[in-house]
Amino acid sequence: MDYHKERPEENREIGCTADLTWTPLGADSYFFGDGDRDNTILCEFGWNFQPEEDDNLGPTASYSGLDLVDVGDSFQLTEKKSSQTAVPIGSSLLSSSLLADKGVEAPTSNPSVSSSSGSEDPPEKSTGSDGKPPETPGKAKKKAQKRIRQPRFAFMTKSEVDHLEDGYRWRKYGQKAVKNSPYPRSYYRCTNSKCTVKKRVERSSEDPTIVITTYEGQHCHHAVGFPRGGIISHESAFAGHLTNPASQFYYPAAVQVHQQVPPSITHSSQVPTIGEPRVQPEAATSSQLPTDEGLLGDLVPPGMRNK
DNA sequence: CGGGTTTGACCTGCGC
DNA sequence: GCGCAGGTCAAACCCG
């Protein structure tokens, strides 16, 4: 079942080639969900999405010349007519919180809580790879077991700057040219030594004004806070992005999220998430707060809610 | 001097 | 098996 929908603004077409439904969440966003499959995608100016299931009967969507394709344990954002993987996605914090908002048990995939068996190591140097000489234990371990993917999620943001402020401190550890794109992809790692969160930042080759940010993992610590006074209370991998005046963000107001939850979303409960323990401090915290506004609440400082 | 960035090399996964 | 592309490392460099 294919259908298309015109965005109210800019008349940008969002193509959808899956049996899913678009549910308006406000002027700039839609929920793209299929309750039966526990997949939810929040499309904003760019989009946030979360394949929430392990069985991954994911949707295939397209936006601005990109295809979102379910490829098993992750999603791929690929350029049309190209097999190149641009943004693989796992599960996202976004829906996690959103679901929590709905009183639905949020998926928990806390990378900080070492995933799958304590074998998961301090990622940092575990990849002693790069090694020329000796095979460090870490390397051996890495070879022994497949690299475990942390939950990921990505979103697109219209911004002039590549690296958006999100309340956390990041250290850039690499940059690579991306095939079929004139823009390089930057790799960042949370500066907190105990935190394994990483993020990739790249510009859309289709629309240079759009920055595609992909987060992997969840922070195991508090954000450093924002200059404008807000200390991020709960963990959110992207607790902000709103402090940069040069950026244009399209996060729907949390209120809207509450009010316009598409029925389908509520099905997104069981959502295990990549075989990780459910215990997740962050999620727990979120769901406990009566007035919690979910991740979007985390994202959007009160003063910014009604853009 | 400490912390962050740059950048070339290396490793790994995947498709052909 | 090979080549390509993505991802990571780490030395060199930069900056406050």
Side-chain angles (χ1 to χ4, degrees):
Chain A
M1 192 178 298
D2 299 352
Y3 55 91
H4 299 269
K5 185 165 190 136
E6 290 289 314
R7 295 188 70 242
E9 292 182 283
E10 303 171 354
N11 288 327
R12 195 183 284 263
E13 180 183 70
I14 296 176
C16 171
T17 58
D19 187 9
L20 303 173
T21 56
W22 288 92
T23 303
L25 261 186
D28 298 310
S29 61
Y30 297 89
F31 249 121
F32 179 34
D34 174 344
D36 292 332
R37 295 176 185 178
D38 295 326
N39 289 313
T40 61
I41 293 177
L42 173 59
C43 290
E44 300 172 349
F45 179 73
W47 55 0
N48 286 322
F49 39 78
Q50 173 184 11
E52 285 276 33
E53 256 306 349
D54 279 340
D55 54 10
N56 290 302
L57 295 169
T60 296
S62 63
Y63 176 71
S64 290
L66 298 174
D67 287 327
L68 171 64
V69 182
D70 182 358
V71 294
D73 67 347
S74 66
F75 275 33
Q76 290 184 332
L77 182 58
T78 61
E79 282 193 87
K80 283 180 175 173
K81 305 180 82 172
S82 162
S83 61
Q84 179 209 353
T85 296
V87 182
I89 311 295
S91 59
S92 96
L93 295 172
L94 174 61
S95 289
S96 171
S97 288
L98 290 176
L99 294 175
D101 285 348
K102 280 108 200 123
V104 176
E105 188 172 8
T108 57
S109 49
N110 190 347
S112 60
V113 178
S114 74
S115 57
S116 64
S117 80
S119 65
E120 188 51 329
D121 46 59
E124 275 309 303
K125 307 303 175 187
S126 67
T127 317
S129 69
D130 183 45
K132 355 251 144 158
E135 286 233 337
T136 67
K139 183 173 182 176
K141 187 186 289 183
K142 181 180 179 178
K143 274 189 173 178
Q145 64 179 113
K146 236 181 177 179
R147 180 180 304 182
I148 297 175
R149 284 234 157 147
Q150 305 275 18
R152 298 184 182 184
F153 66 89
F155 59 91
M156 300 164 92
T157 306
K158 187 155 190 164
S159 171
E160 294 173 10
V161 297
D162 291 339
H163 194 192
L164 306 171
E165 178 58 55
D166 61 3
Y168 289 92
R169 297 190 66 201
W170 302 91
R171 183 201 310 278
K172 187 174 185 177
Y173 67 89
Q175 177 171 308
K176 285 282 290 186
V178 180
K179 188 188 175 191
N180 294 330
S181 173
Y183 309 99
R185 174 182 300 157
S186 297
Y187 298 87
Y188 296 88
R189 179 176 289 146
C190 184
T191 56
N192 186 314
S193 59
K194 294 174 186 170
C195 185
T196 65
V197 179
K198 293 178 220 171
K199 79 173 178 182
R200 296 185 309 218
V201 178
E202 65 187 285
R203 284 199 174 277
S204 167
S205 58
E206 299 275 334
D207 185 348
T209 66
I210 292 179
V211 176
I212 301 173
T213 304
T214 304
Y215 285 92
E216 180 172 337
Q218 285 181 248
H219 295 279
C220 60
H221 58 96
H222 290 281
V224 297
F226 289 108
R228 291 196 309 135
I231 288 184
I232 307 310
S233 57
H234 13 281
E235 318 297 332
S236 156
F238 49 149
H241 295 288
L242 296 168
T243 57
N244 188 336
S247 304
Q248 243 184 303
F249 299 96
Y250 294 86
Y251 295 115
V255 176
Q256 295 176 313
V257 174
H258 279 295
Q259 296 177 333
Q260 304 183 38
V261 180
S264 61
I265 299 301
T266 58
H267 293 297
S268 314
S269 51
Q270 57 281 74
V271 192
T273 318
I274 321 183
E276 291 181 343
R278 258 178 157 14
V279 191
Q280 183 189 36
E282 292 86 350
T285 301
S286 295
S287 56
Q288 286 171 356
L289 296 174
T291 58
D292 181 47
E293 293 166 323
L295 187 57
L296 291 174
D298 293 343
L299 294 171
V300 188
M304 299 289 288
R305 293 290 163 67
N306 300 314
K307 68 174 175 86

PDB file of all heavy atoms in Angstrom, chain A residues 84 124 173 185 189 200, chain C residues 5-10:
ATOM      1  N   GLN A  84      24.011   2.356  -0.869  1.00  0.00           N
ATOM      2  CA  GLN A  84      24.823   2.836   0.241  1.00  0.00           C
ATOM      3  C   GLN A  84      24.016   3.079   1.505  1.00  0.00           C
ATOM      4  O   GLN A  84      22.958   3.650   1.502  1.00  0.00           O
ATOM      5  CB  GLN A  84      25.484   4.156  -0.151  1.00  0.00           C
ATOM      6  CG  GLN A  84      26.313   4.680   0.975  1.00  0.00           C
ATOM      7  CD  GLN A  84      26.364   6.168   0.926  1.00  0.00           C
ATOM      8  OE1 GLN A  84      25.887   6.774  -0.021  1.00  0.00           O
ATOM      9  NE2 GLN A  84      26.937   6.757   1.943  1.00  0.00           N
ATOM     10  N   GLU A 124      35.601   1.751  24.725  1.00  0.00           N
ATOM     11  CA  GLU A 124      36.705   2.626  24.373  1.00  0.00           C
ATOM     12  C   GLU A 124      37.830   1.918  23.664  1.00  0.00           C
ATOM     13  O   GLU A 124      37.915   1.866  22.477  1.00  0.00           O
ATOM     14  CB  GLU A 124      37.251   3.277  25.630  1.00  0.00           C
ATOM     15  CG  GLU A 124      36.483   4.514  25.996  1.00  0.00           C
ATOM     16  CD  GLU A 124      36.365   5.447  24.809  1.00  0.00           C
ATOM     17  OE1 GLU A 124      37.393   5.853  24.255  1.00  0.00           O
ATOM     18  OE2 GLU A 124      35.257   5.796  24.420  1.00  0.00           O
ATOM     19  N   TYR A 173      36.240  12.112  17.069  1.00  0.00           N
ATOM     20  CA  TYR A 173      37.305  11.127  16.943  1.00  0.00           C
ATOM     21  C   TYR A 173      37.514  10.665  15.520  1.00  0.00           C
ATOM     22  O   TYR A 173      38.349   9.816  15.229  1.00  0.00           O
ATOM     23  CB  TYR A 173      37.036   9.919  17.845  1.00  0.00           C
ATOM     24  CG  TYR A 173      35.839   9.095  17.455  1.00  0.00           C
ATOM     25  CD1 TYR A 173      35.949   8.032  16.559  1.00  0.00           C
ATOM     26  CD2 TYR A 173      34.592   9.377  18.003  1.00  0.00           C
ATOM     27  CE1 TYR A 173      34.857   7.262  16.225  1.00  0.00           C
ATOM     28  CE2 TYR A 173      33.497   8.617  17.670  1.00  0.00           C
ATOM     29  CZ  TYR A 173      33.635   7.552  16.780  1.00  0.00           C
ATOM     30  OH  TYR A 173      32.542   6.786  16.447  1.00  0.00           O
ATOM     31  N   ARG A 185      31.383  12.996   7.001  1.00  0.00           N
ATOM     32  CA  ARG A 185      30.633  12.572   8.188  1.00  0.00           C
ATOM     33  C   ARG A 185      31.588  12.659   9.359  1.00  0.00           C
ATOM     34  O   ARG A 185      32.722  12.209   9.290  1.00  0.00           O
ATOM     35  CB  ARG A 185      30.158  11.140   8.012  1.00  0.00           C
ATOM     36  CG  ARG A 185      29.501  10.553   9.248  1.00  0.00           C
ATOM     37  CD  ARG A 185      29.098   9.123   9.014  1.00  0.00           C
ATOM     38  NE  ARG A 185      28.153   9.022   7.902  1.00  0.00           N
ATOM     39  CZ  ARG A 185      27.953   7.924   7.189  1.00  0.00           C
ATOM     40  NH1 ARG A 185      28.639   6.839   7.453  1.00  0.00           N
ATOM     41  NH2 ARG A 185      27.093   7.919   6.198  1.00  0.00           N
ATOM     42  N   ARG A 189      32.232  11.202  20.174  1.00  0.00           N
ATOM     43  CA  ARG A 189      32.079  10.295  21.302  1.00  0.00           C
ATOM     44  C   ARG A 189      31.880  11.167  22.535  1.00  0.00           C
ATOM     45  O   ARG A 189      32.489  12.219  22.674  1.00  0.00           O
ATOM     46  CB  ARG A 189      33.359   9.463  21.434  1.00  0.00           C
ATOM     47  CG  ARG A 189      33.388   8.495  22.553  1.00  0.00           C
ATOM     48  CD  ARG A 189      34.672   7.684  22.480  1.00  0.00           C
ATOM     49  NE  ARG A 189      34.664   6.760  21.355  1.00  0.00           N
ATOM     50  CZ  ARG A 189      35.727   6.426  20.650  1.00  0.00           C
ATOM     51  NH1 ARG A 189      36.898   6.952  20.932  1.00  0.00           N
ATOM     52  NH2 ARG A 189      35.634   5.566  19.666  1.00  0.00           N
ATOM     53  N   ARG A 200      27.034  10.474  15.111  1.00  0.00           N
ATOM     54  CA  ARG A 200      27.594  10.798  13.800  1.00  0.00           C
ATOM     55  C   ARG A 200      26.826  11.987  13.273  1.00  0.00           C
ATOM     56  O   ARG A 200      25.620  12.078  13.440  1.00  0.00           O
ATOM     57  CB  ARG A 200      27.423   9.623  12.842  1.00  0.00           C
ATOM     58  CG  ARG A 200      28.169   8.407  13.244  1.00  0.00           C
ATOM     59  CD  ARG A 200      28.038   7.352  12.188  1.00  0.00           C
ATOM     60  NE  ARG A 200      26.643   7.128  11.810  1.00  0.00           N
ATOM     61  CZ  ARG A 200      26.141   5.943  11.538  1.00  0.00           C
ATOM     62  NH1 ARG A 200      26.896   4.885  11.611  1.00  0.00           N
ATOM     63  NH2 ARG A 200      24.895   5.818  11.189  1.00  0.00           N
TER      64      ARG A 200
ATOM     65  P    DA C   5      33.435   2.960  -2.833  1.00  0.00           P
ATOM     66  OP1  DA C   5      32.463   3.455  -3.815  1.00  0.00           O
ATOM     67  OP2  DA C   5      34.797   3.528  -2.763  1.00  0.00           O
ATOM     68  O5'  DA C   5      32.790   3.058  -1.385  1.00  0.00           O
ATOM     69  C5'  DA C   5      31.627   2.291  -1.077  1.00  0.00           C
ATOM     70  C4'  DA C   5      31.446   2.226   0.424  1.00  0.00           C
ATOM     71  O4'  DA C   5      32.398   1.310   1.002  1.00  0.00           O
ATOM     72  C3'  DA C   5      31.644   3.567   1.145  1.00  0.00           C
ATOM     73  O3'  DA C   5      30.541   3.778   2.012  1.00  0.00           O
ATOM     74  C2'  DA C   5      32.936   3.391   1.921  1.00  0.00           C
ATOM     75  C1'  DA C   5      32.972   1.889   2.157  1.00  0.00           C
ATOM     76  N9   DA C   5      34.308   1.325   2.301  1.00  0.00           N
ATOM     77  C8   DA C   5      35.420   1.611   1.569  1.00  0.00           C
ATOM     78  N7   DA C   5      36.498   0.959   1.951  1.00  0.00           N
ATOM     79  C5   DA C   5      36.048   0.187   2.995  1.00  0.00           C
ATOM     80  C6   DA C   5      36.689  -0.742   3.828  1.00  0.00           C
ATOM     81  N6   DA C   5      37.974  -1.060   3.719  1.00  0.00           N
ATOM     82  N1   DA C   5      35.955  -1.351   4.782  1.00  0.00           N
ATOM     83  C2   DA C   5      34.662  -1.031   4.899  1.00  0.00           C
ATOM     84  N3   DA C   5      33.942  -0.183   4.178  1.00  0.00           N
ATOM     85  C4   DA C   5      34.702   0.398   3.229  1.00  0.00           C
ATOM     86  P    DG C   6      30.480   5.086   2.829  1.00  0.00           P
ATOM     87  OP1  DG C   6      29.157   5.692   2.566  1.00  0.00           O
ATOM     88  OP2  DG C   6      31.716   5.885   2.663  1.00  0.00           O
ATOM     89  O5'  DG C   6      30.454   4.488   4.302  1.00  0.00           O
ATOM     90  C5'  DG C   6      29.593   3.398   4.592  1.00  0.00           C
ATOM     91  C4'  DG C   6      29.942   2.808   5.941  1.00  0.00           C
ATOM     92  O4'  DG C   6      31.239   2.177   5.878  1.00  0.00           O
ATOM     93  C3'  DG C   6      30.017   3.820   7.078  1.00  0.00           C
ATOM     94  O3'  DG C   6      29.412   3.248   8.229  1.00  0.00           O
ATOM     95  C2'  DG C   6      31.515   4.045   7.273  1.00  0.00           C
ATOM     96  C1'  DG C   6      32.084   2.685   6.896  1.00  0.00           C
ATOM     97  N9   DG C   6      33.440   2.711   6.370  1.00  0.00           N
ATOM     98  C8   DG C   6      33.916   3.452   5.318  1.00  0.00           C
ATOM     99  N7   DG C   6      35.184   3.249   5.062  1.00  0.00           N
ATOM    100  C5   DG C   6      35.571   2.306   6.009  1.00  0.00           C
ATOM    101  C6   DG C   6      36.826   1.692   6.242  1.00  0.00           C
ATOM    102  O6   DG C   6      37.882   1.860   5.623  1.00  0.00           O
ATOM    103  N1   DG C   6      36.778   0.794   7.296  1.00  0.00           N
ATOM    104  C2   DG C   6      35.664   0.516   8.049  1.00  0.00           C
ATOM    105  N2   DG C   6      35.809  -0.370   9.034  1.00  0.00           N
ATOM    106  N3   DG C   6      34.489   1.083   7.850  1.00  0.00           N
ATOM    107  C4   DG C   6      34.507   1.967   6.818  1.00  0.00           C
ATOM    108  P    DG C   7      29.180   4.121   9.524  1.00  0.00           P
ATOM    109  OP1  DG C   7      27.964   3.619  10.182  1.00  0.00           O
ATOM    110  OP2  DG C   7      29.287   5.546   9.167  1.00  0.00           O
ATOM    111  O5'  DG C   7      30.434   3.745  10.428  1.00  0.00           O
ATOM    112  C5'  DG C   7      30.576   2.410  10.882  1.00  0.00           C
ATOM    113  C4'  DG C   7      31.861   2.259  11.654  1.00  0.00           C
ATOM    114  O4'  DG C   7      32.979   2.324  10.746  1.00  0.00           O
ATOM    115  C3'  DG C   7      32.116   3.308  12.743  1.00  0.00           C
ATOM    116  O3'  DG C   7      32.372   2.619  13.960  1.00  0.00           O
ATOM    117  C2'  DG C   7      33.343   4.066  12.246  1.00  0.00           C
ATOM    118  C1'  DG C   7      34.037   3.029  11.376  1.00  0.00           C
ATOM    119  N9   DG C   7      34.895   3.550  10.321  1.00  0.00           N
ATOM    120  C8   DG C   7      34.566   4.450   9.339  1.00  0.00           C
ATOM    121  N7   DG C   7      35.557   4.719   8.529  1.00  0.00           N
ATOM    122  C5   DG C   7      36.604   3.949   9.006  1.00  0.00           C
ATOM    123  C6   DG C   7      37.943   3.829   8.543  1.00  0.00           C
ATOM    124  O6   DG C   7      38.478   4.388   7.572  1.00  0.00           O
ATOM    125  N1   DG C   7      38.669   2.940   9.310  1.00  0.00           N
ATOM    126  C2   DG C   7      38.184   2.257  10.404  1.00  0.00           C
ATOM    127  N2   DG C   7      39.032   1.445  11.019  1.00  0.00           N
ATOM    128  N3   DG C   7      36.948   2.366  10.848  1.00  0.00           N
ATOM    129  C4   DG C   7      36.210   3.225  10.109  1.00  0.00           C
ATOM    130  P    DT C   8      32.611   3.448  15.291  1.00  0.00           P
ATOM    131  OP1  DT C   8      32.022   2.682  16.391  1.00  0.00           O
ATOM    132  OP2  DT C   8      32.242   4.858  15.068  1.00  0.00           O
ATOM    133  O5'  DT C   8      34.201   3.371  15.437  1.00  0.00           O
ATOM    134  C5'  DT C   8      34.815   2.077  15.459  1.00  0.00           C
ATOM    135  C4'  DT C   8      36.317   2.223  15.571  1.00  0.00           C
ATOM    136  O4'  DT C   8      36.864   2.723  14.335  1.00  0.00           O
ATOM    137  C3'  DT C   8      36.794   3.168  16.682  1.00  0.00           C
ATOM    138  O3'  DT C   8      37.665   2.440  17.533  1.00  0.00           O
ATOM    139  C2'  DT C   8      37.528   4.280  15.942  1.00  0.00           C
ATOM    140  C1'  DT C   8      37.908   3.617  14.627  1.00  0.00           C
ATOM    141  N1   DT C   8      38.037   4.530  13.461  1.00  0.00           N
ATOM    142  C2   DT C   8      39.213   4.556  12.778  1.00  0.00           C
ATOM    143  O2   DT C   8      40.184   3.882  13.088  1.00  0.00           O
ATOM    144  N3   DT C   8      39.237   5.416  11.700  1.00  0.00           N
ATOM    145  C4   DT C   8      38.213   6.210  11.262  1.00  0.00           C
ATOM    146  O4   DT C   8      38.359   6.931  10.271  1.00  0.00           O
ATOM    147  C5   DT C   8      36.989   6.135  12.026  1.00  0.00           C
ATOM    148  C7   DT C   8      35.822   6.967  11.619  1.00  0.00           C
ATOM    149  C6   DT C   8      36.959   5.305  13.074  1.00  0.00           C
ATOM    150  P    DC C   9      38.245   3.145  18.807  1.00  0.00           P
ATOM    151  OP1  DC C   9      38.168   2.157  19.894  1.00  0.00           O
ATOM    152  OP2  DC C   9      37.693   4.492  18.976  1.00  0.00           O
ATOM    153  O5'  DC C   9      39.771   3.292  18.368  1.00  0.00           O
ATOM    154  C5'  DC C   9      40.400   2.181  17.733  1.00  0.00           C
ATOM    155  C4'  DC C   9      41.786   2.592  17.269  1.00  0.00           C
ATOM    156  O4'  DC C   9      41.691   3.411  16.088  1.00  0.00           O
ATOM    157  C3'  DC C   9      42.577   3.380  18.303  1.00  0.00           C
ATOM    158  O3'  DC C   9      43.872   2.824  18.407  1.00  0.00           O
ATOM    159  C2'  DC C   9      42.620   4.795  17.734  1.00  0.00           C
ATOM    160  C1'  DC C   9      42.493   4.558  16.232  1.00  0.00           C
ATOM    161  N1   DC C   9      41.829   5.639  15.464  1.00  0.00           N
ATOM    162  C2   DC C   9      42.445   6.177  14.333  1.00  0.00           C
ATOM    163  O2   DC C   9      43.562   5.761  14.004  1.00  0.00           O
ATOM    164  N3   DC C   9      41.810   7.136  13.622  1.00  0.00           N
ATOM    165  C4   DC C   9      40.605   7.549  14.001  1.00  0.00           C
ATOM    166  N4   DC C   9      40.010   8.497  13.264  1.00  0.00           N
ATOM    167  C5   DC C   9      39.956   7.030  15.166  1.00  0.00           C
ATOM    168  C6   DC C   9      40.596   6.092  15.860  1.00  0.00           C
ATOM    169  P    DA C  10      44.721   3.036  19.692  1.00  0.00           P
ATOM    170  OP1  DA C  10      45.512   1.792  19.890  1.00  0.00           O
ATOM    171  OP2  DA C  10      43.863   3.558  20.765  1.00  0.00           O
ATOM    172  O5'  DA C  10      45.722   4.188  19.238  1.00  0.00           O
ATOM    173  C5'  DA C  10      46.482   4.007  18.051  1.00  0.00           C
ATOM    174  C4'  DA C  10      47.101   5.331  17.641  1.00  0.00           C
ATOM    175  O4'  DA C  10      46.119   6.144  16.961  1.00  0.00           O
ATOM    176  C3'  DA C  10      47.611   6.182  18.805  1.00  0.00           C
ATOM    177  O3'  DA C  10      48.795   6.842  18.402  1.00  0.00           O
ATOM    178  C2'  DA C  10      46.500   7.206  18.985  1.00  0.00           C
ATOM    179  C1'  DA C  10      46.120   7.429  17.528  1.00  0.00           C
ATOM    180  N9   DA C  10      44.809   8.015  17.315  1.00  0.00           N
ATOM    181  C8   DA C  10      43.717   8.001  18.143  1.00  0.00           C
ATOM    182  N7   DA C  10      42.673   8.633  17.663  1.00  0.00           N
ATOM    183  C5   DA C  10      43.103   9.094  16.440  1.00  0.00           C
ATOM    184  C6   DA C  10      42.466   9.832  15.437  1.00  0.00           C
ATOM    185  N6   DA C  10      41.214  10.252  15.511  1.00  0.00           N
ATOM    186  N1   DA C  10      43.193  10.122  14.325  1.00  0.00           N
ATOM    187  C2   DA C  10      44.450   9.705  14.245  1.00  0.00           C
ATOM    188  N3   DA C  10      45.159   9.002  15.124  1.00  0.00           N
ATOM    189  C4   DA C  10      44.414   8.721  16.208  1.00  0.00           C
TER     190       DA C  10
END
